[in-house]
């Protein structure tokens, strides 16, 4: 009998402890203070609205010609990612976060872009790059070609169906050009500026299929062909795609899963250096952050920086491990220093590419941290440029399936828990529709630390890699003619708008004079017609 009572007491204690664990995930309920207790008053919100209304009323259109254009591309930067990233950024400074702003969210003009491609409702980064860089929507996983090219059919790529990007349009106008990325420089987004292939994965010769030996892989197109060979600044990862003798280290291993292994015995980085020496231009090839920051950029016209065998390490890894790898912000700063020396202006693409990779792994914390790293780079660009002559555009190529669900309290840690389901099990604020975070049974995540960098959020459908989403993506813009991003656009509208405001490509003859305050001719015509109608 005594043993029986002990068992009853023990079971009751275990039950109470279990309920306590379910209802009180202590480390998960961390909250940050709100900005002000004034939020409880009507006067506060009227003041906030009046301030915003005043800014809107006083806003004037900037109709200058854009001498410079900078495109920031957050790979996979869906609107929920932006919202969560805003909160995450604020919480890094012990604020609640909801009331804050990312740097680019303070831009005066905002639009949306439709991200579908010719044969898929939900697109990939190659087909979208062809749209927002080349102005042509195309087929899934094809790059720098129109939709007459067939995926994985190298013989379907011809001179007639190649799509040239705004990088070439800018070079033809005498401007300097640059590409900065946290991915491999041969990856879909950066390759969209210079390559033409029927399969985005043909980054080096080791991935080319049989019967396609006569075509150049993406890495060779960067170094040997135009416009790749004439890009003034190229920085990112992908050393093993460019060099046959690449070796790995503990902090920078070879990427045997998604990377490409060069088999032809060539060292394309050395070929790049040799070509620049032969041309007699000032150039530099760097492999580390130390080398990059030590450059005298006033004496560099061409810069190649390759800082990893595969993609660059995540930003938190650079910090935690003190790696000799530059941040996206520091690469952007150096790129602008080199590009701004050109008298005719420049076009620069900066990609926050690893937002996408973290999402594919359903690691939301990493995705938000990468977004904030890109926002830091945008902050650098804002400080180094003038809104009078520089158009800055921030957008994404596609969305992801991450959701932002209820009902966490105000200021609750964005990477933590939202609440409890009907059975008393906790769930995180950020979750995915599919991905590696799927479980056959509903797990009790009370004891798990969702703030860990490698924590995988819950997912509804099992997938080895979470998929992209088909949502529209946001476009933020400031600078000359930024108001032309004004509503819902087809994604291929983006490069044409940038070309129009900088008078390059098909719009090179649409500017009068060429002075900094010149207004594109179409704008003058529209103003004249409007005046005549109203008179």
């Amino acid at each position: 009998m005594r043993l029986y009572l002990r068992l009853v007491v023990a079971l009751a204690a275990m039950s109470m402890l279990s309920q306590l664990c379910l209802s009180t995930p202590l480390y998960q309920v961390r909250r940050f203070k709100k900005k002000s207790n004034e939020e409880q008053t009507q006067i506060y919100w009227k003041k906030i609205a009046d301030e915003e209304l005043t800014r809107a009323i006083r806003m004037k259109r900037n109709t200058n010609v854009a001498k410079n254009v900078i495109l920031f591309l957050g790979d996979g930067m869906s609107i929920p990612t932006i919202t969560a990233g805003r909160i995450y950024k604020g919480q890094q400074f012990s604020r609640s976060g909801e009331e804050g702003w990312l740097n680019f969210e303070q831009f005066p003009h905002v639009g949306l872009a439709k991200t579908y491609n010719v044969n898929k409702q939900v697109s990939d980064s190659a087909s979208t790059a062809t749209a927002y860089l080349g102005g042509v929507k195309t087929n899934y996983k094809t790059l720098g070609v129109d939709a007459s090219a067939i995926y994985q059919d190298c013989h379907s790529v011809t001179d007639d169906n190649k799509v040239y990007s705004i990088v070439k349009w800018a070079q033809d106008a005498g401007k300097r050009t640059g590409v900065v990325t946290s991915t491999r420089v041969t990856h879909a987004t950066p390759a969209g500026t210079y390559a033409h292939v029927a399969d985005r994965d043909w980054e080096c010769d080791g991935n080319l299929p049989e019967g396609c030996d006569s075509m150049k892989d993406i890495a060779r197109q960067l170094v040997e062909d135009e416009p790749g060979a004439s890009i003034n600044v190229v920085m990112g990862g992908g050393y093993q795609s460019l060099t046959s003798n690449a070796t790995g280290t503990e902090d920078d291993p070879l990427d045997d899963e998604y990377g490409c292994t060069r088999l032809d015995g060539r060292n394309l980085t050395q070929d790049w250096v040799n070509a620049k020496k032969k041309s007699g231009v000032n150039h530099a090839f760097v492999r580390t952050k130390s080398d990059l920051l030590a450059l005298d950029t006033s004496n560099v016209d061409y810069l190649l920086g390759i800082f990893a065998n595969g993609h660059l390490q995540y930003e938190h890894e650079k910090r935690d491990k003190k790696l000799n790898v530059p941040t996206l912000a520091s690469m952007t700063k150096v790129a602008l220093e080199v590009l701004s020396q050109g008298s005719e202006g420049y076009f620069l693409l900066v990609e926050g590419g690893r937002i996408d990779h973290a999402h594919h792994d359903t690691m939301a914390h990493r995705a938000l941290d990468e977004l904030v790293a890109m926002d830091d780079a945008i902050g650098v660009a804002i400080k180094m440029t003038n809104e009078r002559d520089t158009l800055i555009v921030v957008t994404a190529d596609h969305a992801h399936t991450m959701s932002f669900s209820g009902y966490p309290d105000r200021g609750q840690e964005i990477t933590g828990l939202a609440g409890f389901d009907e059975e008393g099990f906790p769930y995180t604020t950020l979750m995915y529709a599919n991905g590696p975070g799927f479980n056959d049974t509903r797990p009790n995540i009370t004891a798990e630390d969702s703030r860990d960098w490698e924590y995988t959020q819950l997912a509804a459908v099992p997938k080895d890699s979470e998929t992209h989403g088909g949502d529209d993506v946001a476009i933020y813009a400031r600078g000359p003619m930024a108001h032309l991003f004004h509503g819902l656009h087809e994604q291929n509208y983006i490069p044409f708008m940038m070309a129009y405001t900088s008078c390059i490509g098909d719009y090179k003859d649409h500017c009068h004079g060429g002075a900094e305050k010149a207004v594109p001719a179409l704008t003058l015509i529209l103003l004249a017609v409007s005046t005549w109608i109203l008179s």
Side-chain angles (χ1 to χ4, degrees):
M1 184 66 179
R2 188 175 298 173
L3 179 60
Y4 173 76
L5 289 173
R6 287 180 179 175
L7 286 171
V8 170
V9 171
L11 288 171
M14 290 174 64
S15 176
M16 290 175 63
L17 182 61
S18 175
Q19 290 300 316
L20 180 63
C21 289
L22 283 174
S23 61
T24 314
L26 297 177
Y27 68 86
Q28 297 278 25
V29 294
R30 184 181 180 195
R31 295 187 180 92
F32 296 88
K33 292 181 179 180
K34 291 184 290 186
K35 181 179 180 181
S36 171
N37 288 329
E38 290 181 307
E39 291 183 351
Q40 298 174 0
T41 69
Q42 298 177 38
I43 295 174
Y44 173 82
W45 293 110
K46 177 63 165 58
K47 176 186 175 184
I48 293 296
D50 283 343
E51 290 173 352
E52 189 168 342
L53 181 59
T54 299
R55 289 194 298 271
I57 292 171
R58 293 178 177 176
M59 186 184 300
K60 294 182 180 180
R61 289 185 173 182
N62 179 345
T63 56
N64 294 345
V65 170
K67 179 181 180 181
N68 313 307
V69 176
I70 307 172
L71 174 60
F72 283 92
L73 193 286
D75 198 317
M77 190 177 69
S78 62
I79 292 176
T81 305
I82 294 172
T83 306
R86 174 199 316 147
I87 297 172
Y88 176 80
K89 180 177 181 179
Q91 292 180 350
Q92 305 314 296
F93 298 94
S94 298
R95 298 192 292 266
S96 63
E98 296 88 353
E99 73 291 336
W101 303 81
L102 295 162
N103 285 316
F104 62 87
E105 289 183 308
Q106 300 178 71
F107 287 7
H109 299 285
V110 182
L112 293 171
K114 296 185 283 186
T115 61
Y116 71 92
N117 57 34
V118 170
N119 64 341
K120 292 277 190 181
Q121 285 183 343
V122 179
S123 59
D124 79 304
S125 295
S127 55
T128 51
T130 308
Y132 65 75
L133 291 170
V136 177
K137 289 210 172 193
T138 190
N139 294 324
Y140 183 68
K141 288 193 173 183
T142 62
L143 181 69
V145 290
D146 66 30
S148 67
I150 301 169
Y151 175 54
Q152 293 189 327
D153 182 354
C154 59
H155 301 294
S156 69
V157 177
T158 67
D159 288 339
D160 291 334
N161 62 19
K162 289 180 179 178
V163 174
Y164 289 91
S165 78
I166 190 171
V167 162
K168 186 176 188 305
W169 310 344
Q171 289 176 357
D172 290 344
K175 294 180 181 290
R176 292 193 175 196
T177 54
V179 178
V180 172
T181 179
S182 54
T183 71
R184 299 184 295 267
V185 297
T186 52
H187 206 236
T189 299
T193 63
Y194 61 83
H196 314 278
V197 287
D199 186 341
R200 57 175 286 182
D201 292 330
W202 295 345
E203 295 186 46
C204 75
D205 64 313
N207 281 2
L208 291 178
E210 290 186 15
C212 296
D213 297 337
S214 61
M215 78 158 290
K216 292 184 180 181
D217 57 73
I218 292 173
R220 284 185 62 193
Q221 290 186 48
L222 169 62
V223 174
E224 298 177 358
D225 296 348
E226 299 298 342
S230 293
I231 298 176
N232 296 86
V233 177
V234 178
M235 284 191 279
Y239 189 69
Q240 70 185 68
S241 296
L242 294 159
T243 308
S244 296
N245 61 355
T247 56
T249 65
E250 181 179 353
D251 289 328
D252 183 26
L254 295 175
D255 185 351
D256 297 326
E257 185 175 6
Y258 298 110
C260 191
T261 301
R262 186 141 217 104
L263 302 177
D264 57 9
R266 296 185 60 180
N267 182 339
L268 295 180
T269 62
Q270 187 60 50
D271 291 348
W272 182 91
V273 170
N274 292 341
K276 296 299 178 276
K277 285 181 178 179
K278 185 176 180 180
S279 298
V281 295
N282 295 327
H283 64 279
F285 170 54
V286 293
R287 290 292 326 270
T288 67
K289 177 179 71 174
S290 300
D291 291 340
L292 179 68
L293 299 183
L295 279 179
D296 176 8
T297 53
S298 65
N299 196 36
V300 176
D301 295 319
Y302 290 87
L303 170 61
L304 178 62
I306 306 297
F307 306 107
N309 284 312
H311 302 307
L312 300 193
Q313 294 85 347
Y314 284 108
E315 293 287 340
H316 77 87
E317 293 177 318
K318 298 175 190 176
R319 298 190 301 266
D320 296 345
K321 298 179 181 180
K322 295 181 172 56
L323 300 178
N324 198 8
V325 178
T327 63
L328 194 64
S330 60
M331 287 190 289
T332 300
K333 178 178 182 294
V334 172
L336 289 173
E337 289 173 352
V338 173
L339 297 177
S340 61
Q341 295 176 70
S343 60
E344 300 300 315
Y346 57 80
F347 172 82
L348 172 63
L349 168 67
V350 180
E351 182 199 20
R354 305 225 64 190
I355 301 169
D356 174 77
H357 300 153
H359 274 322
H360 279 305
D361 291 334
T362 63
M363 294 179 181
H365 190 180
R366 275 182 169 169
L368 302 187
D369 197 65
E370 290 296 306
L371 183 150
V372 171
M374 190 182 82
D375 192 56
D376 290 342
I378 294 169
V380 168
I382 291 171
K383 291 179 180 178
M384 294 182 66
T385 59
N386 192 321
E387 193 171 359
R388 186 167 171 265
D389 67 359
T390 301
L391 172 69
I392 301 179
V393 179
V394 180
T395 189
D397 46 359
H398 54 74
H400 272 274
T401 72
M402 189 192 80
S403 64
F404 184 157
S405 55
Y407 296 98
D409 289 337
R410 175 71 183 277
Q412 197 154 314
E413 192 167 24
I414 192 65
T415 56
L417 300 181
F420 301 88
D421 65 16
E422 302 305 318
E423 297 180 357
F425 284 81
Y427 59 91
T428 53
T429 301
L430 307 176
M431 293 186 285
Y432 292 82
N434 58 64
F438 172 81
N439 286 274
D440 290 324
T441 58
R442 179 79 169 88
N444 178 8
I445 61 172
T446 304
E448 298 180 13
D449 187 355
S450 60
R451 295 170 298 176
D452 188 274
W453 290 113
E454 297 193 357
Y455 179 79
T456 55
Q457 319 296 124
L458 298 175
V461 175
K463 292 282 291 184
D464 289 340
S465 177
E466 178 264 356
T467 70
H468 295 166
D471 323 20
D472 298 337
V473 295
I475 312 169
Y476 301 83
R478 61 164 257 172
M481 308 300 284
H483 61 275
L484 296 181
F485 290 116
H486 64 285
L488 178 62
H489 303 283
E490 291 286 359
Q491 195 169 37
N492 72 299
Y493 169 81
I494 295 172
F496 290 121
M497 181 275 171
M498 295 188 296
Y500 176 76
T501 189
S502 54
C503 300
I504 62 174
D506 290 343
Y507 305 99
K508 62 175 182 269
D509 298 323
H510 282 220
C511 290
H512 288 288
E516 289 184 3
K517 281 196 172 182
V519 179
L522 181 58
T523 301
L524 292 174
I525 293 170
L526 291 174
L527 288 172
V529 171
S530 299
T531 303
W532 177 77
I533 292 173
L534 293 172
S535 63

